[in-house]
Amino acid sequence: AQSVTQPDIHITVSEGASLELRCNYSYGATPYLFWYVQSPGQGLQLLLKYFSGDTLVQGIKGFEAEFKRSQSSFNLRKPSVHWSDAAEYFCAVGALEGGKLIFGQGTELSVKP
Amino acid sequence: ETGVTQTPRHLVMGMTNKKSLKCEQHLGHNAMYWYKQSAKKPLELMFVYNFKEQTENNSVPSRFSPECPNSSHLFLHLHTLQPEDSALYLCASSQSRGSGALNEQFFGPGTRLTVL
């Protein structure tokens, strides 16, 4: 079955520190992978996506993610976190049928001053 | 208006009320989705519409009734809800290419529903 796991429910980092949010997926073919961010009381905004090609993907707001097929992972990274990055982050994989997205449970990011 | 809009942004209703949530997408997409987001739970896909046809209903109770009159508009009609239905209801749209490829979804801001 297709699934997405985000092992960390909540992460706290200091402002200016680097960030890595983990995402593992289970999928039967080449996956389409996404990272979304949700600020409190808002909808989800797409940060970046991977369909094919270069396994290091650049996104908005200084985020990047690396697709590692051997590890079934698509971890999100940012070299220097800003206070405005505090939000919930969702990893998703495109399902085999019907255009659906399968979401992980989310990782809540807190940023210490 | 741009992107995906949802109205109302907040809704409080009693268990005997009937209300509707509205979603409109201004992106020219042909697929629309309803999701439920409860506290501490993953996003739950409720309904999928492709070209105005419902293609997915994830065992959603009949007190939730979707309607998609055209590719740009999606409604969620609510009646006799329960307190556990209180959640953020998110609408999304995408350009469906049939096989599920390139299924990037664009989300609205959501409707925060509270059922008393």
Side-chain angles (χ1 to χ4, degrees):
Chain A
Q2 302 142 36
S3 65
V4 177
T5 302
Q6 292 179 248
D8 304 305
I9 304 295
H10 189 203
I11 283 182
T12 300
V13 299
S14 298
E15 191 167 15
S18 63
L19 171 70
E20 183 169 32
L21 301 182
R22 296 183 290 165
C23 173
N24 294 97
Y25 65 89
S26 172
Y27 197 73
T30 300
Y32 302 106
L33 294 161
F34 306 82
W35 274 100
Y36 284 85
V37 61
Q38 185 180 31
S39 298
Q42 300 297 315
L44 278 66
Q45 181 185 20
L46 182 69
L47 282 176
L48 47 78
K49 59 193 177 190
Y50 170 78
F51 290 155
S52 64
D54 194 345
T55 56
L56 185 62
V57 180
Q58 302 297 320
I60 62 172
K61 305 185 181 188
F63 285 92
E64 66 178 27
E66 187 171 11
F67 170 57
K68 292 186 177 180
R69 184 187 300 274
S70 61
Q71 298 176 19
S72 297
S73 70
F74 189 56
N75 294 348
L76 182 70
R77 301 193 294 247
K78 186 169 184 178
S80 177
V81 170
H82 188 263
W83 65 266
S84 60
D85 293 324
E88 186 139 25
Y89 291 80
F90 293 92
C91 182
V93 63
L96 284 168
E97 67 287 328
K100 293 190 302 182
L101 290 180
I102 298 169
F103 284 88
Q105 65 188 68
T107 297
E108 185 178 356
L109 173 66
S110 298
V111 180
K112 292 189 300 186
Chain B
E1 291 278 16
T2 58
V4 181
T5 58
Q6 290 186 244
T7 54
R9 293 294 309 276
H10 300 271
L11 178 62
V12 179
M13 59 187 290
M15 290 191 285
T16 58
N17 291 158
K18 288 186 179 182
K19 296 287 184 182
S20 296
L21 310 185
K22 179 183 176 183
C23 174
E24 185 173 0
Q25 59 96 359
H26 309 267
L27 300 168
H29 290 163
N30 56 22
M32 297 187 77
Y33 311 78
W34 278 117
Y35 288 88
K36 177 183 178 182
Q37 187 178 31
S38 304
K40 310 301 180 188
K41 285 187 175 182
L43 276 163
E44 300 173 51
L45 179 64
M46 301 174 72
F47 301 104
V48 180
Y49 278 82
N50 273 286
F51 295 97
K52 303 186 297 177
E53 299 296 321
Q54 187 181 127
T55 56
E56 182 121 4
N57 175 339
N58 274 345
S59 304
V60 179
S62 59
R63 57 185 184 269
F64 295 90
S65 174
E67 178 190 1
C68 189
N70 55 60
S71 294
S72 299
H73 294 85
L74 184 64
F75 296 89
L76 189 62
H77 303 300
L78 316 171
H79 66 97
T80 59
L81 294 192
Q82 304 298 312
E84 60 264 28
D85 298 322
S86 298
L88 182 68
Y89 288 85
L90 292 165
C91 173
S93 71
S94 71
Q95 185 59 29
S96 172
R97 289 174 174 80
S99 67
L102 304 180
N103 39 9
E104 173 182 342
Q105 293 182 17
F106 294 79
F107 284 80
T111 295
R112 173 67 63 186
L113 174 66
T114 302
V115 182
L116 302 176

Short mmCIF file of all heavy atoms in Angstrom, two decimals, chain A residues 100, chain B residues 31-36 44-50 53-67 74-78 89-92 105:
data_model
loop_
_atom_site.label_atom_id
_atom_site.label_comp_id
_atom_site.label_asym_id
_atom_site.label_seq_id
_atom_site.Cartn_x
_atom_site.Cartn_y
_atom_site.Cartn_z
N LYS A 100 -4.77 11.43 -6.77
CA LYS A 100 -4.80 11.70 -5.35
C LYS A 100 -3.41 11.93 -4.80
O LYS A 100 -2.42 11.46 -5.32
CB LYS A 100 -5.41 10.50 -4.61
CG LYS A 100 -6.85 10.25 -4.90
CD LYS A 100 -7.43 9.22 -3.97
CE LYS A 100 -6.70 7.91 -4.03
NZ LYS A 100 -7.31 6.90 -3.13
N ALA B 31 -10.08 19.18 -11.72
CA ALA B 31 -10.31 18.27 -10.59
C ALA B 31 -10.38 19.07 -9.30
O ALA B 31 -9.61 20.03 -9.12
CB ALA B 31 -9.19 17.23 -10.50
N MET B 32 -11.29 18.69 -8.43
CA MET B 32 -11.44 19.38 -7.15
C MET B 32 -11.62 18.35 -6.04
O MET B 32 -12.11 17.24 -6.26
CB MET B 32 -12.62 20.35 -7.18
CG MET B 32 -12.44 21.46 -8.21
SD MET B 32 -13.70 22.74 -8.14
CE MET B 32 -13.16 23.69 -6.71
N TYR B 33 -11.22 18.74 -4.83
CA TYR B 33 -11.12 17.82 -3.70
C TYR B 33 -11.64 18.49 -2.42
O TYR B 33 -11.44 19.69 -2.23
CB TYR B 33 -9.65 17.43 -3.45
CG TYR B 33 -8.88 17.01 -4.65
CD1 TYR B 33 -8.38 17.94 -5.56
CD2 TYR B 33 -8.61 15.66 -4.90
CE1 TYR B 33 -7.65 17.56 -6.68
CE2 TYR B 33 -7.88 15.27 -6.01
CZ TYR B 33 -7.42 16.22 -6.88
OH TYR B 33 -6.69 15.83 -7.99
N TRP B 34 -12.24 17.67 -1.57
CA TRP B 34 -12.52 18.09 -0.20
C TRP B 34 -11.68 17.25 0.75
O TRP B 34 -11.66 16.01 0.63
CB TRP B 34 -13.99 17.90 0.17
CG TRP B 34 -14.92 18.98 -0.27
CD1 TRP B 34 -15.96 18.87 -1.15
CD2 TRP B 34 -14.92 20.35 0.14
NE1 TRP B 34 -16.60 20.07 -1.31
CE2 TRP B 34 -15.98 21.01 -0.53
CE3 TRP B 34 -14.13 21.11 1.02
CZ2 TRP B 34 -16.28 22.35 -0.35
CZ3 TRP B 34 -14.42 22.45 1.19
CH2 TRP B 34 -15.48 23.06 0.51
N TYR B 35 -11.03 17.92 1.71
CA TYR B 35 -10.27 17.26 2.76
C TYR B 35 -10.81 17.71 4.12
O TYR B 35 -11.26 18.84 4.29
CB TYR B 35 -8.79 17.66 2.72
CG TYR B 35 -7.98 17.12 1.59
CD1 TYR B 35 -7.90 17.80 0.37
CD2 TYR B 35 -7.25 15.94 1.73
CE1 TYR B 35 -7.13 17.31 -0.68
CE2 TYR B 35 -6.47 15.45 0.70
CZ TYR B 35 -6.41 16.14 -0.50
OH TYR B 35 -5.64 15.67 -1.53
N LYS B 36 -10.68 16.81 5.08
CA LYS B 36 -10.96 17.15 6.48
C LYS B 36 -9.64 17.11 7.24
O LYS B 36 -8.88 16.14 7.13
CB LYS B 36 -11.93 16.15 7.09
CG LYS B 36 -12.24 16.39 8.56
CD LYS B 36 -13.16 15.30 9.11
CE LYS B 36 -13.43 15.52 10.60
NZ LYS B 36 -14.28 14.44 11.16
N GLU B 44 -7.46 13.99 5.80
CA GLU B 44 -8.32 12.92 5.31
C GLU B 44 -9.00 13.37 4.02
O GLU B 44 -9.74 14.36 4.02
CB GLU B 44 -9.42 12.61 6.34
CG GLU B 44 -8.95 12.17 7.70
CD GLU B 44 -10.11 12.07 8.68
OE1 GLU B 44 -11.12 11.41 8.33
OE2 GLU B 44 -10.03 12.65 9.77
N LEU B 45 -8.74 12.66 2.95
CA LEU B 45 -9.43 12.94 1.70
C LEU B 45 -10.87 12.48 1.82
O LEU B 45 -11.14 11.34 2.19
CB LEU B 45 -8.73 12.22 0.54
CG LEU B 45 -9.34 12.40 -0.83
CD1 LEU B 45 -9.27 13.85 -1.28
CD2 LEU B 45 -8.65 11.49 -1.84
N MET B 46 -11.81 13.39 1.49
CA MET B 46 -13.23 13.05 1.59
C MET B 46 -13.81 12.72 0.22
O MET B 46 -14.38 11.65 0.02
CB MET B 46 -13.99 14.21 2.22
CG MET B 46 -13.53 14.61 3.61
SD MET B 46 -14.37 16.09 4.19
CE MET B 46 -16.03 15.46 4.51
N PHE B 47 -13.68 13.66 -0.70
CA PHE B 47 -14.29 13.51 -2.01
C PHE B 47 -13.35 14.02 -3.09
O PHE B 47 -12.58 14.94 -2.87
CB PHE B 47 -15.61 14.32 -2.11
CG PHE B 47 -16.66 13.95 -1.11
CD1 PHE B 47 -16.90 14.76 -0.02
CD2 PHE B 47 -17.41 12.79 -1.26
CE1 PHE B 47 -17.88 14.44 0.91
CE2 PHE B 47 -18.38 12.44 -0.34
CZ PHE B 47 -18.61 13.26 0.75
N VAL B 48 -13.47 13.40 -4.28
CA VAL B 48 -12.73 13.84 -5.45
C VAL B 48 -13.71 13.99 -6.60
O VAL B 48 -14.54 13.10 -6.83
CB VAL B 48 -11.63 12.84 -5.85
CG1 VAL B 48 -10.88 13.35 -7.08
CG2 VAL B 48 -10.66 12.61 -4.70
N TYR B 49 -13.58 15.10 -7.32
CA TYR B 49 -14.35 15.31 -8.54
C TYR B 49 -13.39 15.53 -9.69
O TYR B 49 -12.47 16.35 -9.60
CB TYR B 49 -15.27 16.53 -8.41
CG TYR B 49 -16.56 16.24 -7.69
CD1 TYR B 49 -16.62 16.22 -6.30
CD2 TYR B 49 -17.73 15.96 -8.39
CE1 TYR B 49 -17.81 15.95 -5.64
CE2 TYR B 49 -18.92 15.69 -7.74
CZ TYR B 49 -18.95 15.68 -6.36
OH TYR B 49 -20.12 15.41 -5.71
N ASN B 50 -13.59 14.78 -10.77
CA ASN B 50 -12.86 14.98 -12.01
C ASN B 50 -13.86 15.34 -13.09
O ASN B 50 -14.80 14.59 -13.33
CB ASN B 50 -12.12 13.70 -12.42
CG ASN B 50 -10.76 13.59 -11.78
OD1 ASN B 50 -9.82 14.29 -12.16
ND2 ASN B 50 -10.64 12.74 -10.80
N GLU B 53 -17.45 15.00 -12.27
CA GLU B 53 -17.96 13.69 -11.86
C GLU B 53 -17.26 13.25 -10.59
O GLU B 53 -16.03 13.31 -10.49
CB GLU B 53 -17.71 12.66 -12.96
CG GLU B 53 -18.40 12.96 -14.28
CD GLU B 53 -19.89 12.93 -14.14
OE1 GLU B 53 -20.42 12.06 -13.41
OE2 GLU B 53 -20.58 13.79 -14.75
N GLN B 54 -18.03 12.76 -9.65
CA GLN B 54 -17.43 12.28 -8.41
C GLN B 54 -16.71 10.97 -8.67
O GLN B 54 -17.32 10.00 -9.14
CB GLN B 54 -18.49 12.09 -7.33
CG GLN B 54 -17.88 11.77 -5.96
CD GLN B 54 -18.93 11.55 -4.87
OE1 GLN B 54 -18.93 10.55 -4.19
NE2 GLN B 54 -19.84 12.49 -4.72
N THR B 55 -15.43 10.93 -8.40
CA THR B 55 -14.64 9.73 -8.66
C THR B 55 -14.16 9.07 -7.37
O THR B 55 -13.57 7.99 -7.41
CB THR B 55 -13.42 10.06 -9.52
OG1 THR B 55 -12.65 11.10 -8.87
CG2 THR B 55 -13.83 10.52 -10.89
N GLU B 56 -14.41 9.72 -6.25
CA GLU B 56 -13.97 9.12 -5.00
C GLU B 56 -14.86 9.61 -3.87
O GLU B 56 -15.18 10.80 -3.79
CB GLU B 56 -12.52 9.50 -4.70
CG GLU B 56 -11.96 8.88 -3.45
CD GLU B 56 -10.75 8.04 -3.70
OE1 GLU B 56 -10.28 7.97 -4.85
OE2 GLU B 56 -10.25 7.44 -2.73
N ASN B 57 -15.23 8.69 -3.01
CA ASN B 57 -15.95 8.99 -1.78
C ASN B 57 -15.36 8.07 -0.74
O ASN B 57 -15.59 6.85 -0.75
CB ASN B 57 -17.46 8.73 -1.96
CG ASN B 57 -18.23 8.93 -0.66
OD1 ASN B 57 -17.68 8.88 0.44
ND2 ASN B 57 -19.51 9.14 -0.78
N ASN B 58 -14.55 8.63 0.14
CA ASN B 58 -13.81 7.80 1.09
C ASN B 58 -14.64 7.46 2.31
O ASN B 58 -14.31 7.84 3.43
CB ASN B 58 -12.52 8.50 1.50
CG ASN B 58 -11.40 8.21 0.53
OD1 ASN B 58 -11.48 7.30 -0.28
ND2 ASN B 58 -10.35 8.99 0.61
N SER B 59 -15.75 6.74 2.08
CA SER B 59 -16.59 6.28 3.19
C SER B 59 -17.00 7.42 4.10
O SER B 59 -16.98 7.30 5.33
CB SER B 59 -15.85 5.20 4.02
OG SER B 59 -15.45 4.14 3.22
N VAL B 60 -17.38 8.52 3.46
CA VAL B 60 -17.78 9.69 4.23
C VAL B 60 -19.25 9.55 4.62
O VAL B 60 -20.09 9.15 3.81
CB VAL B 60 -17.59 10.97 3.38
CG1 VAL B 60 -18.02 12.20 4.17
CG2 VAL B 60 -16.14 11.09 2.94
N PRO B 61 -19.61 9.88 5.87
CA PRO B 61 -21.02 9.78 6.29
C PRO B 61 -21.93 10.62 5.42
O PRO B 61 -21.53 11.67 4.91
CB PRO B 61 -20.98 10.30 7.73
CG PRO B 61 -19.58 10.14 8.18
CD PRO B 61 -18.73 10.30 6.96
N SER B 62 -23.16 10.18 5.30
CA SER B 62 -24.10 10.84 4.39
C SER B 62 -24.52 12.23 4.88
O SER B 62 -25.15 12.97 4.13
CB SER B 62 -25.35 9.97 4.20
OG SER B 62 -25.98 9.73 5.45
N ARG B 63 -24.18 12.58 6.10
CA ARG B 63 -24.48 13.94 6.56
C ARG B 63 -23.60 14.98 5.86
O ARG B 63 -23.82 16.18 5.98
CB ARG B 63 -24.33 14.04 8.08
CG ARG B 63 -22.98 13.66 8.63
CD ARG B 63 -23.01 13.68 10.16
NE ARG B 63 -21.72 13.41 10.76
CZ ARG B 63 -21.30 12.20 11.08
NH1 ARG B 63 -22.08 11.14 10.86
NH2 ARG B 63 -20.10 12.03 11.63
N PHE B 64 -22.60 14.51 5.12
CA PHE B 64 -21.80 15.36 4.24
C PHE B 64 -22.20 15.05 2.80
O PHE B 64 -22.07 13.91 2.35
CB PHE B 64 -20.31 15.09 4.40
CG PHE B 64 -19.76 15.44 5.74
CD1 PHE B 64 -19.73 14.49 6.76
CD2 PHE B 64 -19.27 16.71 6.00
CE1 PHE B 64 -19.21 14.81 8.01
CE2 PHE B 64 -18.76 17.04 7.24
CZ PHE B 64 -18.74 16.08 8.25
N SER B 65 -22.65 16.06 2.08
CA SER B 65 -23.11 15.86 0.71
C SER B 65 -22.41 16.83 -0.22
O SER B 65 -22.64 18.04 -0.15
CB SER B 65 -24.63 16.07 0.66
OG SER B 65 -25.09 16.01 -0.66
N PRO B 66 -21.55 16.34 -1.11
CA PRO B 66 -20.84 17.25 -2.01
C PRO B 66 -21.67 17.55 -3.26
O PRO B 66 -22.55 16.78 -3.64
CB PRO B 66 -19.59 16.45 -2.38
CG PRO B 66 -20.05 15.03 -2.37
CD PRO B 66 -21.11 14.95 -1.29
N GLU B 67 -21.33 18.68 -3.86
CA GLU B 67 -21.96 19.06 -5.12
C GLU B 67 -20.94 19.79 -5.96
O GLU B 67 -20.25 20.68 -5.45
CB GLU B 67 -23.17 19.96 -4.89
CG GLU B 67 -23.86 20.44 -6.17
CD GLU B 67 -24.89 21.50 -5.91
OE1 GLU B 67 -25.09 21.91 -4.75
OE2 GLU B 67 -25.51 21.96 -6.90
N LEU B 74 -17.22 24.01 -6.10
CA LEU B 74 -17.43 22.79 -5.33
C LEU B 74 -18.10 23.19 -4.02
O LEU B 74 -17.68 24.17 -3.39
CB LEU B 74 -16.10 22.10 -5.05
CG LEU B 74 -16.13 20.76 -4.33
CD1 LEU B 74 -16.84 19.71 -5.17
CD2 LEU B 74 -14.71 20.31 -3.99
N PHE B 75 -19.14 22.45 -3.66
CA PHE B 75 -19.86 22.72 -2.42
C PHE B 75 -19.80 21.49 -1.52
O PHE B 75 -19.68 20.36 -1.99
CB PHE B 75 -21.32 23.07 -2.70
CG PHE B 75 -21.52 24.34 -3.48
CD1 PHE B 75 -21.54 24.33 -4.87
CD2 PHE B 75 -21.68 25.55 -2.83
CE1 PHE B 75 -21.72 25.50 -5.60
CE2 PHE B 75 -21.87 26.73 -3.54
CZ PHE B 75 -21.88 26.70 -4.92
N LEU B 76 -19.91 21.76 -0.24
CA LEU B 76 -20.08 20.67 0.73
C LEU B 76 -21.27 21.03 1.60
O LEU B 76 -21.21 21.98 2.38
CB LEU B 76 -18.82 20.48 1.59
CG LEU B 76 -18.80 19.26 2.48
CD1 LEU B 76 -18.86 17.97 1.65
CD2 LEU B 76 -17.55 19.24 3.36
N HIS B 77 -22.37 20.29 1.39
CA HIS B 77 -23.60 20.55 2.14
C HIS B 77 -23.57 19.73 3.44
O HIS B 77 -23.24 18.54 3.42
CB HIS B 77 -24.81 20.18 1.30
CG HIS B 77 -24.87 20.90 -0.01
ND1 HIS B 77 -24.93 22.27 -0.12
CD2 HIS B 77 -24.85 20.42 -1.30
CE1 HIS B 77 -24.97 22.62 -1.39
NE2 HIS B 77 -24.91 21.51 -2.13
N LEU B 78 -23.92 20.41 4.51
CA LEU B 78 -23.80 19.81 5.83
C LEU B 78 -25.17 19.77 6.51
O LEU B 78 -25.90 20.76 6.49
CB LEU B 78 -22.86 20.66 6.70
CG LEU B 78 -21.57 21.15 6.06
CD1 LEU B 78 -20.86 22.15 6.96
CD2 LEU B 78 -20.68 19.97 5.74
N TYR B 89 -11.93 22.31 7.10
CA TYR B 89 -12.27 21.67 5.84
C TYR B 89 -11.56 22.41 4.72
O TYR B 89 -11.78 23.61 4.52
CB TYR B 89 -13.79 21.63 5.64
CG TYR B 89 -14.41 20.63 6.57
CD1 TYR B 89 -14.74 20.99 7.88
CD2 TYR B 89 -14.62 19.31 6.19
CE1 TYR B 89 -15.26 20.07 8.78
CE2 TYR B 89 -15.14 18.38 7.07
CZ TYR B 89 -15.45 18.76 8.36
OH TYR B 89 -15.97 17.84 9.25
N LEU B 90 -10.74 21.66 4.03
CA LEU B 90 -9.89 22.24 2.98
C LEU B 90 -10.38 21.79 1.62
O LEU B 90 -10.70 20.62 1.41
CB LEU B 90 -8.44 21.81 3.16
CG LEU B 90 -7.73 22.37 4.39
CD1 LEU B 90 -6.45 21.59 4.66
CD2 LEU B 90 -7.40 23.84 4.18
N CYS B 91 -10.38 22.73 0.70
CA CYS B 91 -10.69 22.44 -0.69
C CYS B 91 -9.39 22.56 -1.48
O CYS B 91 -8.52 23.38 -1.15
CB CYS B 91 -11.72 23.44 -1.20
SG CYS B 91 -12.07 23.35 -2.96
N ALA B 92 -9.24 21.76 -2.51
CA ALA B 92 -8.06 21.83 -3.37
C ALA B 92 -8.49 21.59 -4.80
O ALA B 92 -9.56 21.02 -5.07
CB ALA B 92 -7.02 20.81 -2.94
N GLN B 105 -1.56 19.73 -6.26
CA GLN B 105 -2.81 20.30 -5.82
C GLN B 105 -2.59 21.67 -5.20
O GLN B 105 -1.60 21.91 -4.51
CB GLN B 105 -3.49 19.37 -4.81
CG GLN B 105 -3.95 18.07 -5.45
CD GLN B 105 -4.65 17.15 -4.47
OE1 GLN B 105 -5.09 17.57 -3.40
NE2 GLN B 105 -4.78 15.89 -4.84
#
